[in-house]
Amino acid sequence: MSERLAIWKRWKVGPGLVIAMAVGLLLAGLSMAIYNEYLTSGQKLRALTVQAEILSGSVSAALAFDDREAAREYVSALSANRDVEAVGVYDLQGRLVAGFAKGGSRLPAINQVRPPAWNGDRLTVTATVAQKSEVLGSVYLRTVREPLVRRIARYGGIALLIIMASLLLIVLGVSNNSLALAHRSLGIEMDERGKAEAALRRSQEQEAAAQLTLATERGQAALRQSQQQLEFALQAGRLGSWELDLTTRKLAASEFFRANFGLGPDDPLDRYDELFARVYPDDRDALAQAINKAIAEASELEAEHRTLTPTGEIRWILVRGRAVYDEAGTPVRLAGVSLDITGRKMAEDRQRALLDELNHRVKNTLATVQAVAMQTSRTKSAGTSFESAFLARIGALARAHDLLTEVAWEGASLTRVISRTLEPYVAQGQLDRISLTGPEVRLGPNAAVTLTMAFHELATNAGKYGSFSAVAGQVSVDWRVDSASSPPALEIDWREMGGPAVAPPSRRGFGSRFIEKGLAREFDGEVHLTFSPEGVCCRMRLPLSTKLRLAA
């Protein structure tokens, strides 16, 4: 005890030093709080960046096909996260495609990809959405810092201990001046102080242990929540996850990954060989080369391959992943995700087929225009304008194309072809001058164009010289199916009535030759054109086929 008193005599602590020590403790506590806040902010930044990358990968297919509904589903999956304030998906021009904002906040009208940044208590992260090397758009995520009240509660215990220690130092400093005058009481006070210090140490140790336990529990809870969010995001994007041990060749696959191959949870898919056997034989070499290249070059794995499901269905699978290496640089694992892109591949095939069909139809149309121009030029008579005749025939061809466009080039009905062709030749309100009678007949695209041109030539002749040139003239078109013939044939009768007397032409022009020879050649049928005094008559006998059939 006397040695301890002697030490206190030699080392007298003045009030200035006590205050400086208290301030030092307060600064140390403040530094710890700031450092802890810095770590928390960094963790939040990394978590939000991961969420942005997951969202970017999820919506890439939706932006590639302009599927706004799918983009909204991916975005709504993040609305349950209470720390996320706003999420947005933007197209390549930076315009909003899908998103939400909580608490009265707003999403930016135009998104620009920039580094993550804190703006007050809010953290903003943007990321590019790309598929292979093609940029499709961007995503925008904004979160809020942990509420101030919660942070104060977290650091309250540490602050209380620091304040207590500072007060204790102040008290000790003030009472130090009386130690030299009270040796007896000092011994008692020193013993009590030792007990208080021991109690304080025990309290600090217990508090530190409690904080460590609480931090561990919070870390585990955050990890579980992050895993759940990742799993939910994978499910929302219908992404399958997989991991391959490169040493044992064992495969760990999620339920969605198995579903991509048409397999259930209990079907065998635990090894790399079992997976490779599911790959379409023609795609195995390319997939193996892509995997080996990704491992050897430490690059991203991205490959598309087909698979044959147990039911015999062929599906297309997109695989993405990356290898993991140990400290020696040896690859140990390969992990990634998979996505069923069968729908996208089918859409690409349909697009190619449509382009081929368009190319075919454009070539046919240009050939038709060329033939009409040549025939019109050869058969124009004196006083007849080549331009007006040619433009009239091209107009008829255009009307046929308009009619086919309305039904997506799947054909047209005979009734609509005839009515569309004849209506321009009678005045409004005089459609009763045209009589159409017959069953519903469907025409293929080429047949619709050919018959439109034929009826245009008949109607043009009637407008110049026949029944349409007279006020009371009429045209009757009747058709029926001769089922007794082999094959069954469609018989069409064109009759003009009430017009001027008709005389046979001195020569056969383009219209007559097209009607009698062009129709017969197109439908492998017979056409007879008669110029009787009462009016022109045209009888067509066209065998039923894929070009010409009765409506179901």
Side-chain angles (χ1 to χ4, degrees):
M1 179 63 67
S2 60
E3 293 178 357
R4 296 172 65 182
L5 291 176
I7 292 174
W8 277 102
K9 289 180 180 179
R10 290 194 303 268
W11 299 95
K12 293 183 179 181
V13 181
L17 182 59
V18 171
I19 294 174
M21 294 174 65
V23 171
L25 285 175
L26 290 174
L27 292 176
L30 181 61
S31 299
M32 292 174 59
I34 293 173
Y35 180 70
N36 189 51
E37 189 69 10
Y38 171 77
L39 292 180
T40 303
S41 299
Q43 292 174 354
K44 187 176 289 293
L45 174 60
R46 288 190 294 272
L48 192 61
T49 301
V50 171
Q51 288 182 344
E53 292 176 353
I54 293 174
L55 179 60
S56 172
S58 299
V59 301
S60 61
L63 288 182
F65 296 99
D66 196 21
D67 191 347
R68 293 176 176 263
E69 189 61 31
R72 292 190 188 98
E73 291 179 1
Y74 297 142
V75 169
S76 61
L78 295 175
S79 61
N81 190 337
R82 66 181 183 180
D83 291 333
V84 175
E85 182 183 63
V87 177
V89 177
Y90 294 79
D91 59 16
L92 188 57
Q93 288 74 33
R95 295 172 300 200
L96 181 64
V97 175
F100 68 85
K102 300 178 182 177
S105 61
R106 293 184 178 179
L107 285 167
I110 301 297
N111 185 34
Q112 296 181 350
V113 177
R114 55 175 61 90
W118 284 98
N119 185 9
D121 282 348
R122 290 176 170 82
L123 173 62
T124 301
V125 174
T126 59
T128 300
V129 179
Q131 193 173 76
K132 295 184 178 179
S133 60
E134 181 183 3
V135 177
L136 303 175
S138 61
V139 295
Y140 174 95
L141 279 84
R142 186 172 68 240
T143 185
V144 295
R145 198 190 295 269
E146 190 177 18
L148 181 61
V149 175
R150 197 182 303 170
R151 289 184 300 204
I152 292 175
R154 185 196 307 160
Y155 304 127
I158 298 176
L160 181 61
L161 291 176
I162 293 174
I163 292 173
M164 289 176 62
S166 300
L167 291 176
L168 181 60
L169 286 174
I170 294 174
V171 171
L172 290 176
V174 173
S175 61
N176 184 56
N177 294 327
S178 61
L179 290 178
L181 304 175
H183 291 275
R184 294 180 182 178
S185 59
L186 181 59
I188 298 174
E189 291 177 0
M190 291 298 295
D191 291 338
E192 292 177 352
R193 182 174 179 273
K195 294 177 181 179
E197 290 178 349
L200 181 60
R201 284 195 300 271
R202 287 194 298 270
S203 175
Q204 290 175 340
E205 291 173 355
Q206 293 173 356
E207 180 69 19
Q211 289 184 357
L212 179 60
T213 302
L214 181 60
T216 302
E217 293 176 352
R218 287 180 177 176
Q220 292 175 348
L223 178 60
R224 287 193 299 270
Q225 182 180 6
S226 177
Q227 290 174 343
Q228 291 172 357
Q229 290 175 349
L230 176 60
E231 182 178 357
F232 183 78
L234 291 174
Q235 292 178 354
R238 304 191 66 80
L239 294 170
S241 60
W242 54 272
E243 183 174 339
L244 175 65
D245 189 318
L246 298 178
T247 303
T248 63
R249 314 298 282 181
K250 288 185 177 181
L251 177 69
S254 68
E255 181 179 349
F256 271 105
F257 183 83
R258 292 174 175 269
N260 288 340
F261 288 83
L263 302 177
D266 300 328
D267 292 325
L269 193 65
D270 299 325
R271 298 191 61 82
Y272 177 74
D273 295 340
E274 295 173 348
L275 170 66
F276 210 67
R278 300 285 181 183
V279 177
Y280 200 75
D282 294 344
D283 298 342
R284 291 174 182 172
D285 290 342
L287 179 60
Q289 291 175 5
I291 292 175
N292 294 334
K293 180 180 179 181
I295 295 174
E297 300 179 359
S299 60
E300 292 284 349
L301 166 64
E302 182 168 344
E304 297 177 358
H305 67 83
R306 289 167 291 179
T307 181
L308 189 63
T309 66
T311 60
E313 177 188 4
I314 295 179
R315 294 181 182 177
W316 277 94
I317 308 297
L318 170 63
V319 178
R320 289 176 176 168
R322 180 178 283 275
V324 179
Y325 304 82
D326 59 14
E327 295 179 353
T330 303
V332 293
R333 295 195 314 278
L334 186 67
V337 296
S338 68
L339 178 64
D340 187 340
I341 58 171
T342 305
R344 192 192 81 190
K345 285 293 186 180
M346 293 177 64
E348 292 174 354
D349 292 341
R350 286 195 298 270
Q351 185 180 32
R352 282 192 295 269
L354 288 174
L355 289 175
D356 292 341
E357 179 67 15
L358 176 62
N359 183 47
H360 172 70
R361 296 197 185 282
V362 168
K363 288 181 178 179
N364 285 347
T365 301
L366 292 176
T368 303
V369 172
Q370 183 181 22
V372 170
M374 293 176 62
Q375 292 296 328
T376 303
S377 175
R378 291 173 183 173
T379 60
K380 71 172 182 175
S381 59
T384 301
S385 170
F386 165 78
E387 180 181 356
S388 60
F390 177 69
L391 291 180
R393 286 164 178 159
I394 295 301
L397 180 63
R399 286 192 294 273
H401 279 239
D402 289 340
L403 180 60
L404 291 171
T405 302
E406 293 176 3
V407 292
W409 279 83
E410 294 181 357
S413 72
L414 178 60
T415 303
R416 293 197 67 188
V417 166
I418 299 175
S419 62
R420 280 283 188 91
T421 306
L422 302 189
E423 284 174 2
Y425 293 89
V426 296
Q428 188 71 23
Q430 296 184 1
L431 294 179
D432 55 351
R433 296 176 61 189
I434 302 172
S435 174
L436 306 179
T437 306
E440 184 66 20
V441 176
R442 297 296 299 176
L443 306 174
N446 291 338
V449 172
T450 303
L451 283 175
T452 296
M453 297 295 293
F455 282 111
H456 165 74
E457 295 297 332
L458 289 171
T460 300
N461 184 75
K464 291 181 177 179
Y465 316 108
S467 58
F468 282 154
S469 65
V471 176
Q474 295 181 341
V475 170
S476 171
V477 184
D478 302 322
W479 63 90
R480 61 205 158 275
V481 175
D482 182 6
S483 302
S485 63
S486 180
L490 176 68
E491 295 181 346
I492 304 175
D493 289 330
W494 167 285
R495 293 188 180 89
E496 298 182 22
M497 300 163 288
V502 175
S506 59
R507 64 183 185 86
R508 297 285 186 172
F510 167 75
S512 299
R513 292 203 309 274
F514 178 80
I515 293 171
E516 291 181 315
K517 297 182 180 180
L519 281 180
R521 182 172 56 254
E522 174 69 23
F523 295 98
D524 194 20
E526 300 176 3
V527 180
H528 300 284
L529 187 61
T530 304
F531 295 89
S532 62
E534 295 79 12
V536 175
C537 297
C538 181
R539 167 161 288 192
M540 312 173 193
R541 183 178 176 83
L542 311 175
L544 296 182
S545 64
T546 56
K547 301 178 181 179
L548 191 73
R549 59 182 175 82
L550 284 174

